[in-house]
Amino acid sequence: MRNAPDSFVRRVRKILDELSSTERQLADFLLEFPGELAGYAGNELANLAQVSPSTVSRFVRRLGYENYEDARRHVRREQESGSPLFQSGVAAAKRGALVATHFQQSQANLASTFDRLSDAMMLDIVKAMTDAPQVLIFGSRSSQAFAVYLRWQIIQVLPRVTVIPGPGETTAEHVAGLTERDCVIVFGTRRQTRQMDAVLAAAVKLRARIVYISDQTSPDYKAATWSIQCDCRGPGSLDNHVAVMALCDLLSTMVIEASGSAGRKRLTMIEAIHEDTEEL
């Protein structure tokens, strides 16, 4: 039985690391709006993505298509299959199907993200987190919310978990003491600040174990111990982060279960203090 050919989006993602700056600009545009290729001629798409027509022609050939029309036919077939990745949020709103489209997109993002995970990899990550003398979690801009949420969950059983940097702090004050036993979790969903590169570089230099969590428009961070790409495509103008939050929930649940008697003892003590102080 022959394997099904790669989807248009998968073809683009496979070559992200190999692209020039202008080709990457076109790739980012198409990953954001993959359905646009079906509706526009090559020169029109070039104008939309602000690249040259020759860049478009060269890019589709790198994807394995004979020419631009061959790529358009492939995208049109994927549109006809009903894939939510190729549906327009504006069109959905006009159809009165906005809620259903968002739901379908969330399902698609969850399915494709979790399909790339394995029990073995997740257990290795969890062991690195529970064995680490300290866990540092970094995320800037919208990714900071994921970092804060993950810390909030796992600090119930892991006492030394820090979101970096704190108010008025720099990342250097935290990464300076890293060792190879420590674990650094970096949320790299777009668009990140330069601080992320500094954290990753320091963690690599000091040989800490790195969990790099990004989105489908970002290439893997090759130096990371584990690199996970979450599908975050939204049916409208915003990214859909359902898969990122689900990954945080999976990690938190597995960490709590793996923390053993020490984790249960800490959790029991926390609950006792809540009761004594009537905090909740």
Side-chain angles (χ1 to χ4, degrees):
M1 181 177 178
R2 295 178 60 187
N3 292 329
D6 282 342
S7 68
F8 176 78
V9 169
R10 185 177 293 274
R11 292 191 192 198
V12 175
R13 286 175 52 198
K14 277 185 174 181
I15 65 169
L16 284 176
D17 282 334
E18 307 166 11
L19 300 178
S20 67
S21 59
T22 53
E23 289 172 332
R24 181 56 191 263
Q25 182 175 325
L26 175 59
D28 287 344
F29 177 83
L30 288 172
L31 286 171
E32 181 74 13
F33 307 106
E36 299 301 328
L37 189 140
Y40 292 95
N43 61 331
E44 293 173 325
L45 179 66
N47 287 332
L48 286 171
Q50 298 182 346
V51 299
S52 67
S54 61
T55 297
V56 173
S57 299
R58 185 170 60 250
F59 181 77
V60 296
R61 288 196 298 272
R62 293 192 68 164
L63 293 176
Y65 299 105
E66 292 183 9
N67 49 45
Y68 185 77
E69 286 305 313
D70 185 28
R72 286 181 79 182
R73 284 192 294 270
H74 187 191
V75 171
R76 283 171 178 165
R77 287 196 299 272
E78 291 188 295
Q79 281 183 321
E80 292 168 0
S81 72
S83 170
L85 294 178
F86 294 87
Q87 307 308 311
S88 166
V90 174
K94 290 180 179 178
R95 295 194 307 269
L98 187 60
V99 172
T101 300
H102 275 261
F103 176 64
Q104 290 167 3
Q105 184 68 73
S106 296
Q107 285 184 311
N109 287 350
L110 276 170
S112 56
T113 298
F114 274 59
D115 187 55
R116 293 192 293 271
L117 305 179
S118 69
D119 286 354
M121 180 181 70
M122 297 307 299
L123 287 169
D124 285 344
I125 292 173
V126 168
K127 180 171 173 52
M129 293 169 66
T130 55
D131 288 351
Q134 64 172 333
V135 177
L136 300 184
I137 310 177
F138 173 86
S140 65
R141 307 184 81 242
S142 63
S143 289
Q144 188 190 39
F146 310 135
V148 171
Y149 176 79
L150 181 60
R151 176 187 181 270
W152 175 52
Q153 297 288 36
I154 64 177
I155 201 172
Q156 298 178 86
V157 293
L158 300 182
R160 290 174 293 279
V161 183
T162 308
V163 173
I164 64 171
E169 299 175 344
T170 67
T171 57
E173 294 154 3
H174 294 278
V175 300
L178 284 174
T179 71
E180 60 186 16
R181 292 185 57 210
D182 292 320
C183 184
V184 179
I185 302 171
V186 174
F187 286 94
T189 56
R190 62 176 189 176
R191 300 163 60 194
Q192 283 298 311
T193 64
R194 293 178 181 176
Q195 281 182 313
M196 185 186 79
D197 292 333
V199 170
L200 288 168
V204 170
K205 183 177 181 180
L206 296 170
R207 300 182 179 180
R209 286 169 287 189
I210 301 170
V211 183
Y212 180 64
I213 301 170
S214 61
D215 57 52
Q216 83 283 354
T217 65
S218 305
D220 289 341
Y221 184 71
K222 294 181 179 179
T225 317
W226 300 278
S227 184
I228 300 174
Q229 288 183 314
C230 296
D231 283 72
C232 297
R233 190 160 322 285
S237 58
L238 298 177
D239 287 345
N240 178 310
H241 291 124
V242 168
V244 183
M245 291 302 295
L247 177 62
C248 289
D249 180 68
L250 175 62
L251 277 171
S252 301
T253 301
M254 293 181 70
V255 164
I256 290 172
E257 291 176 352
S259 64
S261 59
R264 287 192 297 274
K265 182 178 180 180
R266 173 174 167 79
L267 190 55
T268 299
M269 185 178 297
I270 290 172
E271 290 302 319
I273 295 173
H274 282 326
E275 186 174 344
D276 290 342
T277 60
E278 298 183 349
E279 280 188 311
L280 302 178

